[in-house]
Amino acid sequence: MKSMRERLLATSMICGAALLATQAYAQGAANSVSEVVVTGSRIQTPGIQSASPIVTIGSEQIRQQQTPEAEKILRLLPTAVPGDGDAVNNGTAGVTTVNLRGLGAQRNLVLLNGKRMTPYNIDGAVDLSQVPTAILERVDVITGGASAVYGSDAISGAVNFITKTDFEGFEADANYSQTGEGDGKIVSTAFTVGANSGDGRGNAVVSVNYSKRDGVLFAARPLGQLGIVTANGANLGASAPPAPPAGCGGPGSVASGGSTTTVPTRTQITGVGTTAGQFREDGSLGANCSVFNFNPFNYYQTPQERWGGSAFATYQVTDNVEAYANLLYSKTEVRQQIAPSGIFGNSFFVPLGNPFLQASARNTLITQANAARVAGTLPGTSWRDLNANGVVDAADDLSLVIRRRTGELGERSSTYQNNAFQFNAGFRGQLGDSWDWEAFVQQGQSDRVSIAAGYTNVTNFGNALNAVVGPDGKPVCRSGGSCVPVNVFGGYGTITPDMARYVGAVGIEKQSYRQTIVGGSVSGYADAIKLPSAALPVQWSFGAEYREEVGETVPDECLKLAPASCLGGAGGNTLPIKGGFDVYEIFGETIIPVFSDLPFAKSLEVELGGRFSDYNPSGSNTTWKAGLNWEPVEGLRVRAMQQRAVRAPNVGELAAPLVSGLRNAVVDPCSVGNASALAGNATLRARCISTGMTAAQVGTVQDIVSGQISTFEGTNLAKLPGPESADTTTVGFVWTPDYIPVVSRPFLSVDYYKIRVEDWIGTYSAQEVLDACYQGGVTEQCAKVIRINGDLASPAAGIQLFVQNLDYLETEGVELNAGFGLGLEDVGGSESWGRLQFSLTANYYMVNESRSDPTLPKIECVGYYGTSCGNPTHQLRWVQRTNWESGAFSLGYQWRYQDEVSIEETQKSGTFSKFQSIKAYNYLDLNGSWAINDAVRLSASVRNVFEEEPPIVGNEAATTSANSGNTLPSNYDTLGRVFAVGLNVRF
């Protein structure tokens, strides 16, 4: 008589058909009966399925992408919104991340073979560059909260990378790709070797990989050579950068479509917006005449070099106990590059007797300052009357706002060097015929060094501007010492190599993150615990886990310097951070078969689970799940799941010191950029004055620059954020009919999901604060606006944005997966014609919104892109694949669709009409392979076959990380057609 475990093993073949319905990308069936481990549950008994929707990307689809990067594979999922990756330049952390359902990379849990991967830094996200794609068997993506099973962070779902096991032999894999323009080359190689022990009880697999990705500059594509203005479309269609007026040029200087931090230098008397002007190459001072074209220096594709290795070993200690150990190592280097550094609107006291200041420019400044003094608009903090004669003259000092691009210092770049390892070991086995157990320990660590080079040293720059004529008639710094006076009162080249060495700077930051996990669990069943109406017994799983995470950030002295570090244009300063948390957890699950083989109840199962977590310092919380799996008739399964998920604050959210930074915003409502609206609006003018402006400054001070505004950010240690919680609902069905003629293994799954996150951890956006204050008159928000000399662009000015619990995030939609096979012999052809395999995965968003505060309007991102939403959230996306196989050959296509989107409604009025929406896009990719023999296979692919051009939206349409090069590089193909070839050898 067969044991219950044997009967359950037999049912796994039957349930395999239903499992395929969750595998939108999967192809190929198991060749033998084997134990089924379901992502989304710790219950490992065959024949039992989780009620949570799961999409699986199979090894064949991974191979067809011909990429060594896991992030690019996941980016194809219609439910994913682009995270950090190769198409993020200004704003990258030098890593790759996944952002499921647009809820943030920190709200999806990343697993490797069912175990947590170690975050790359204190922000809690995992760098997917660590994933060894060459040995992946499949990737499972579970929809909705999975905290009851896996713990904190699984708010939007979990991604489980599952590697090949029990590999024996040798495999080499090599791929090469480049664009149709001959650039953007990516080379990747991987070597895997595996062997069984002599007694057949053990197996070891070792794999090493290397890849190198070349950078592609904006300058390499016509679209990226010149900045296009989102507001008015300036430079749209220009074949060459518009030349500035004679005498107002220099490398990168253009008439329009760029940054006001330019060359020659722009300046104004601090706090007196009406005095704005620009130097000329001859040293004279006149009206503003040029801006800086920062586009060509940036990357559409950032360069990366990666080395990696992994090892997996198992040994059957006894017939019922197996020991295992896994090791993962990754080393990456990513280089980000942006336009040359400079002085970005800092204020410095400059002697009017500075020897580099020409007489005509000096006289212009003196005239402007005295006019402002008489009008009462010259702030006392902007003038030092050194000879105490009551008028501004050549003996005095004036505080000047300086905007000067320092190309003489060379390229401005950040290089990220990342080293990560993860090791786990344990034992697992069986207790009798019906129970499995596992105990393990895991240690992971990520160490990072970032080097910011080519920057200006703001402190030294201030010392160098404070120069006078020395006793020998030569310029000298008042501060003495090693200071070298600097000349910025003219065109490019006025900064000599000696000056550049003194005013240049390099900043170095080290980061370290360590994760330790100890856990154990048991799962199985007792034959006696079974409902009379069910064929299978109740399934159980219990366990406990301890986890500690500790992170540290160590900046050098330059980066620590307040308010914005010593680096010009770095966006803010960085202070040391050291903190962590630990958590003790117990968890349990059960799947209860209720009915079996009854009319309209071929099977009915109830799934329950819970987890209790005790965090230090966040406190305790409980997560749970309750689901239903109902198969009314053969081939139709209805599933539903309700879950409570929790995310505890990460180290960065618990221990971030107060620092300055840069965030996106559209306009300062009280600046010259909004002068027309201010003219007839007494209420708005009054609100401007209430935040620290004088009446004369309203509508005249400088606007924010390049869509970015300074902020003051960090953790309020007196009010630490608490955990955020999410309620997740999924309801759907899986249909796997076996009675449709001709087609084989057809499946269709449709699932509705809704995820609502309460008390989400984050910050208000800068624009939210500005709108709430100046449009809504919310006093609490106005208190967060810090003005210096009346504006928000001067150093030490900005918006206070503290980490806190905010109102809610919500996403809602429908996910569809379908597929079937078709033998051409079955439709009148011959057997040699081969087979076709069709698959479709699609996502339709109904809601993707957030709200920071009940007093503020919600931000809806479905169908929009912008400074709040960032990358577009397409209402409808799908990927449809068709593959043909015949003998040794295969051919296929991949059709990627994403529907039209529009700019956020709040930005529409200030956006050029052609940039207010983006049409639907269709991309077609082709792939093919030839198995020359059992050991060698060639493959090739073409991405973006019809070379669809990316949409044009200018450079200020969305967040900096999402919007660059006049488009949205992470969301649309910017490199044109991409060709790839590959070779796989296995024996």
Side-chain angles (χ1 to χ4, degrees), residues 735-753:
W735 184 42
T736 55
D738 60 3
Y739 47 80
I740 299 178
V742 182
V743 302
S744 62
R745 296 168 54 210
F747 66 87
L748 170 68
S749 69
V750 179
D751 290 281
Y752 162 84
Y753 60 86

Side-chain angles (χ1 to χ4, degrees), residues 632-763:
V633 295
E634 180 80 36
L636 177 64
R637 180 175 291 269
V638 179
R639 57 193 180 190
M641 179 71 81
Q642 182 69 38
Q643 302 192 63
R644 166 61 61 91
V646 168
R647 186 180 76 87
N650 58 45
V651 175
E653 292 162 340
L654 289 171
L658 181 63
V659 296
S660 58
L662 278 179
R663 298 294 173 189
N664 292 100
V666 179
V667 66
D668 174 3
C670 302
S671 71
V672 66
N674 198 40
S676 58
L678 284 161
N681 193 329
T683 300
L684 178 55
R685 293 181 65 86
R687 288 172 181 167
C688 293
I689 293 171
S690 73
T691 55
M693 302 183 75
T694 65
Q697 290 172 334
V698 175
T700 64
V701 298
Q702 60 182 330
D703 196 3
I704 59 176
V705 179
S706 297
Q708 294 181 318
I709 192 170
S710 295
T711 56
F712 305 100
E713 307 176 12
T715 301
N716 183 352
L717 297 179
K719 190 178 180 181
L720 292 176
E724 59 187 30
S725 61
D727 289 314
T728 300
T729 303
T730 58
V731 180
F733 70 86
V734 179
W735 184 42
T736 55
D738 60 3
Y739 47 80
I740 299 178
V742 182
V743 302
S744 62
R745 296 168 54 210
F747 66 87
L748 170 68
S749 69
V750 179
D751 290 281
Y752 162 84
Y753 60 86
K754 181 178 180 180
I755 305 171
R756 184 179 176 92
V757 185
E758 300 279 355
D759 298 320
W760 65 284
I761 304 168
T763 66

Side-chain angles (χ1 to χ4, degrees), residues 535-566:
L536 301 179
V538 177
Q539 315 296 311
W540 307 90
S541 175
F542 305 98
E545 192 169 278
Y546 169 77
R547 178 162 50 97
E548 180 189 48
E549 302 197 15
V550 178
E552 183 175 16
T553 296
V554 182
D556 65 7
E557 294 303 315
C558 167
L559 295 176
K560 292 179 187 178
L561 190 65
S565 83
C566 80

